[in-house]
């Protein structure tokens, strides 16, 4: 694995590269409560690389700086865009581009997918609403994705059950939901998460 330091308007970000080949590029962001070492991100990176994908797990500037609280969504999006622009300019993006991440990272990917020229979105543990607050829905971030989209959601996710996510995406033939064991952390069986992501990549963007 190679770590690439990348300047952004909010300080340096870091992209951790696992190069599995030229099948395409998968860019993954982390959540607000953890980093790129989250079990689900590691499993997805491993399985996608084994399937021939170049995988970059992106550490946002606030995390690189050692801060414990994530900034506002707009700042996260700016950091993400800067990373994409740098990687594009340095030739690190090969083949079809899929963007994604877990929780807050999935939200960033959904909000910016179209403008960065992505071909698909992989959302792990999408936080559809704060726990116990379904009226504070973030459904618009999902429904605003006009690209192939998959959400891998824990069966006991307090931020939105798989059925709730599926209901939001009803009528969208290019969107799908994979229900997997566990809660929002997706720690119970990360291998299932990795397999679900690899299966979707092969189905939507076949070699």
């Amino acid at each position: 694995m190679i770590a690439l330091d990348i300047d952004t308007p909010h300080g340096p970000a870091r992209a951790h590269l696992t190069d599995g080949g030229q099948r395409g590029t998968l860019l993954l962001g982390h959540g607000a409560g953890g980093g790129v070492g989250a079990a689900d991100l590691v499993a997805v990176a491993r399985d996608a690389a084994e399937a021939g994908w170049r995988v970059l797990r992106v550490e946002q500037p606030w995390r690189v700086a050692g801060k414990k609280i994530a900034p506002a969504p707009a700042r996260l999006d700016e950091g993400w865009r800067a990373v994409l622009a740098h990687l594009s300019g340095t030739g690190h993006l090969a083949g079809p581009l899929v963007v994604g991440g877990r929780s807050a990272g999935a939200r960033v990917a959904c909000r910016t997918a179209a403008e960065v020229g992505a071909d698909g979105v992989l959302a792990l543990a999408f936080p559809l609403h704060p726990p116990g607050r379904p009226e504070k829905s973030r459904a618009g971030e999902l429904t605003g994705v006009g690209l192939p989209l998959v959400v891998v959601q824990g069966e006991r996710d307090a931020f939105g059950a798989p059925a709730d996510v599926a209901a939001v995406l009803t009528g969208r033939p290019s969107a799908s939901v994979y229900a997997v064991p566990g809660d929002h952390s997706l720690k119970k069986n990360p291998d299932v998460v990795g397999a679900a992501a690899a299966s979707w990549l092969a189905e939507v963007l076949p070699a």
Side-chain angles (χ1 to χ4, degrees):
M1 186 176 67
I2 301 171
L4 308 170
D5 289 334
I6 300 168
D7 289 332
T8 81
H10 305 297
R14 185 169 295 132
H16 300 263
L17 170 64
T18 304
D19 199 348
Q22 301 295 308
R23 171 68 194 82
T25 302
L26 174 61
L27 208 70
L28 299 169
H30 57 78
V36 296
D40 53 346
L41 292 178
V42 171
V44 169
R46 178 199 65 211
D47 287 7
E50 288 178 356
W53 286 74
R54 173 177 295 179
V55 185
L56 293 124
R57 287 174 289 150
V58 176
E59 214 173 340
Q60 282 269 10
W62 67 273
R63 186 80 184 182
V64 174
K67 297 178 181 178
K68 296 184 177 180
I69 299 177
R75 289 172 66 91
L76 294 176
D77 292 356
E78 288 170 358
W80 182 255
R81 291 189 196 99
V83 169
L84 263 293
H86 174 87
L87 294 173
S88 177
T90 54
H92 282 95
L93 304 182
L97 172 65
V98 174
V99 295
R102 68 162 284 105
S103 197
R107 294 183 64 194
V108 172
C110 287
R111 290 192 298 260
T112 60
E115 64 183 282
V116 301
D119 297 289
V121 178
L122 169 60
L124 308 174
F126 186 87
L128 186 61
H129 56 71
R133 301 290 300 278
E135 73 279 4
K136 298 286 187 181
S137 177
R138 298 159 181 147
E141 294 179 357
L142 284 178
T143 58
V145 176
L147 304 166
L149 163 71
V150 67
V151 182
V152 182
Q153 202 79 350
E155 293 169 342
R156 296 182 290 102
D157 195 328
F159 290 78
D164 299 325
V165 176
V168 164
L169 295 173
T170 297
R172 295 176 178 268
S174 63
S176 55
V177 180
Y178 283 59
V180 298
D183 56 18
H184 190 66
S185 71
L186 295 180
K187 290 179 180 178
K188 183 172 183 178
N189 197 333
D191 289 345
V192 173
V193 178
S199 173
W200 177 80
L201 287 169
E203 177 184 343
V204 176
L205 294 167

